[in-house]
Amino acid sequence: MAALVLAMACNKAPDVSPLEQALDSQHVSIKQVMDSLEQYEVQIRYTQINRQNDSVQFADHDFQVNSDRYFYPASTVKFPAAVAALEKLNEVDSLSANSRFYIEGDSIETTFAKAVSEIFAVSDNAANNRLIEFLGTDNLNHRMRSKGVHPIRISHRLSTPNADEVTTKSLVIYLNDSTTAISEPIINSTPEELTIQGVKKGIGYYDEDGLQNEPFNFSLKNHYPIQAQHALLKRIIFPDAFPKEERFNLSPEQHQLLLDAMHTLPPDLGYDPEVYYDSYVKFLMYGDSQDPIPEHIKIYNKVGYAYGTLTDCAYIRDVKNDIEFMVTATILVNKDGIFNDNVYEYDEVGIPFLAQLGREIYQIELNRKR
């Protein structure tokens, strides 16, 4: 969708974009990253939202966004898994979001709705992996690409011994209280190595044999760049802004289930607020604080953090001040260049940067004329 030409704040030159204005902040959390930008591999897309009558128009502003420059997406891939699983349920008459199931060989019984809730509330890996067993990676990737969400290549599960297994496990699904059905395993394509920039990172990594003095190779890992993450967020928050062929086949109930899961805070779902505080998986604006998020601020998002990479893909709405915007941002914080050593600057650099970035953009939105 074509970007609108927007007037900049009156105290800035007209050729300075609002995202550049935010990144020009002298706040230490922004400045320490911008002063040593090369090591942090920052990519950001910020979307201003303009409403006119019943239509929505997007104005995208990018900083270093490049789908051919790799970053590890971590748990952000759970968002497309949740959407694709809900869509697939609509194609099976006997299933719904509330259908109970368990993975063959596993003892945990759950529902699809609960898995979606756990994915967004606390970024649960096991919940995501259960949906991957239901979908298969080929099906998941096809559903995303067919709706204009690309490039994307989901190739593995998360934090599980069978992460790279191309054949899914069967699901045992309850059709009613006494009848079950067993799904057939799905054989997926073997992933090919990515050949884009930055798939080999750092100067070393730890594996079961100890420290390896060579770059860590991400070429067979999941690939879900800023463009794809932002495209999915737009289609879920504003489906009517896209042609029918680019909308996901979700019922109104499923769409509401997804939206509720994306913004409901962990304590509201019964999680211990001392451990799972409001901003536990809300990095932008509030990630550097454990204080409650104000009730008038609604954040619909999915974060990811692993291998020193922090990412947040968020739609933020202030219902009191009638403000809304989208930000997808990623940053790598691995100063020593060693992967799998659990020495990353998440709390010192990464989360403070994302939190302050969100606040800088929020302030721009407060002052912006619509």
Side-chain angles (χ1 to χ4, degrees):
M1 188 171 295
L4 299 178
V5 178
L6 299 176
M8 299 301 109
C10 61
N11 63 333
K12 291 289 179 179
D15 58 344
V16 176
S17 80
L19 182 52
E20 290 173 326
Q21 181 182 336
L23 293 172
D24 194 41
S25 168
Q26 295 304 295
H27 192 285
V28 63
S29 296
I30 299 288
K31 197 171 187 306
Q32 67 179 341
V33 171
M34 298 303 291
D35 286 349
S36 303
L37 193 57
E38 186 174 348
Q39 68 173 299
Y40 294 114
E41 299 188 8
V42 173
Q43 295 188 43
I44 307 166
R45 175 164 289 179
Y46 156 43
T47 296
Q48 294 178 323
I49 297 166
N50 300 283
R51 295 178 182 264
Q52 186 172 10
N53 299 323
D54 293 330
S55 67
V56 174
Q57 295 173 308
F58 304 118
D60 293 338
H61 302 277
D62 288 351
F63 181 77
Q64 299 192 152
V65 172
N66 183 355
S67 61
D68 290 326
R69 183 73 183 176
Y70 184 81
F71 67 89
Y72 183 66
S75 291
T76 59
V77 300
K78 298 170 185 175
F79 184 11
V83 173
L86 290 173
E87 186 178 63
K88 183 176 178 179
L89 288 172
N90 284 335
E91 299 165 9
V92 185
D93 292 340
S94 56
L95 299 182
S96 73
N98 295 317
S99 294
R100 293 182 296 134
F101 73 94
Y102 63 89
I103 304 299
E104 201 166 43
D106 190 2
S107 60
I108 303 298
E109 181 184 303
T110 189
T111 67
F112 295 98
K114 185 178 181 184
V116 169
S117 175
E118 291 169 340
I119 277 173
F120 289 100
V122 295
S123 200
D124 189 275
N125 288 326
N128 172 78
N129 295 340
R130 292 182 186 110
L131 297 186
I132 295 296
E133 305 297 352
F134 173 60
L135 286 162
T137 53
D138 287 352
N139 184 278
L140 169 53
N141 291 326
H142 173 73
R143 288 179 186 276
M144 291 298 119
R145 294 166 185 160
S146 69
K147 301 298 194 300
V149 177
H150 59 78
I152 185 171
R153 197 280 300 276
I154 309 303
S155 60
H156 62 85
R157 303 163 188 80
L158 301 173
S159 299
T160 183
N162 72 320
D164 300 320
E165 175 58 55
V166 296
T167 303
T168 66
K169 296 181 179 180
S170 297
L171 274 66
V172 180
I173 303 171
Y174 289 86
L175 301 180
N176 54 49
D177 289 340
S178 59
T179 305
T180 60
I182 301 177
S183 67
E184 292 291 330
I186 302 167
I187 301 175
N188 299 282
S189 303
T190 300
E192 297 181 359
E193 290 190 359
L194 296 168
T195 57
I196 61 177
Q197 300 173 7
V199 292
K200 294 183 179 180
K201 296 186 182 296
I203 59 173
Y205 63 93
Y206 280 92
D207 62 13
E208 60 273 11
D209 297 319
L211 178 61
Q212 306 300 316
N213 293 302
E214 62 184 35
F216 189 70
N217 189 350
F218 287 87
S219 63
L220 292 175
K221 299 290 188 183
N222 292 329
H223 180 43
Y224 183 38
I226 294 290
Q227 290 94 325
Q229 294 195 28
H230 217 71
L232 178 58
L233 183 66
K234 285 179 177 178
R235 284 158 175 76
I236 294 305
I237 301 298
F238 298 107
D240 292 341
F242 293 87
K244 186 175 181 180
E245 60 271 18
E246 292 188 15
R247 301 177 202 168
F248 289 91
N249 179 27
L250 303 178
S251 69
E253 294 77 17
Q254 288 177 322
H255 190 229
Q256 192 60 53
L257 165 69
L258 186 60
L259 293 177
D260 289 343
M262 291 176 71
H263 84 81
T264 301
L265 303 174
D268 295 335
L269 294 172
Y271 290 97
D272 181 355
E274 294 297 318
V275 179
Y276 301 105
Y277 41 89
D278 281 8
S279 62
Y280 181 74
V281 287
K282 309 286 185 189
F283 297 158
L284 289 160
M285 290 189 68
Y286 298 102
D288 57 355
S289 170
Q290 295 188 16
D291 293 338
I293 294 176
E295 290 188 3
H296 64 280
I297 303 291
K298 309 295 182 184
I299 302 177
Y300 301 75
N301 78 313
K302 186 70 197 79
V303 302
Y305 55 101
Y307 295 119
T309 302
L310 288 159
T311 305
D312 197 347
C313 174
Y315 165 67
I316 299 174
R317 184 177 182 192
D318 177 345
V319 297
K320 183 171 73 174
N321 294 297
D322 195 23
I323 291 170
E324 57 182 339
F325 59 95
M326 294 180 177
V327 182
T328 304
T330 188
I331 181 172
L332 173 67
V333 285
N334 187 19
K335 187 176 181 179
D336 65 9
I338 306 296
F339 289 88
N340 284 338
D341 63 353
N342 293 320
V343 180
Y344 305 117
E345 296 74 44
Y346 290 139
D347 295 328
E348 299 86 353
V349 178
I351 289 178
F353 172 78
L354 292 175
Q356 188 60 30
L357 174 66
R359 291 191 288 265
E360 296 286 347
I361 291 175
Y362 174 80
Q363 194 61 43
I364 289 170
E365 287 289 327
L366 270 179
N367 298 327
R368 182 168 74 90
K369 291 183 179 181
R370 287 165 172 75

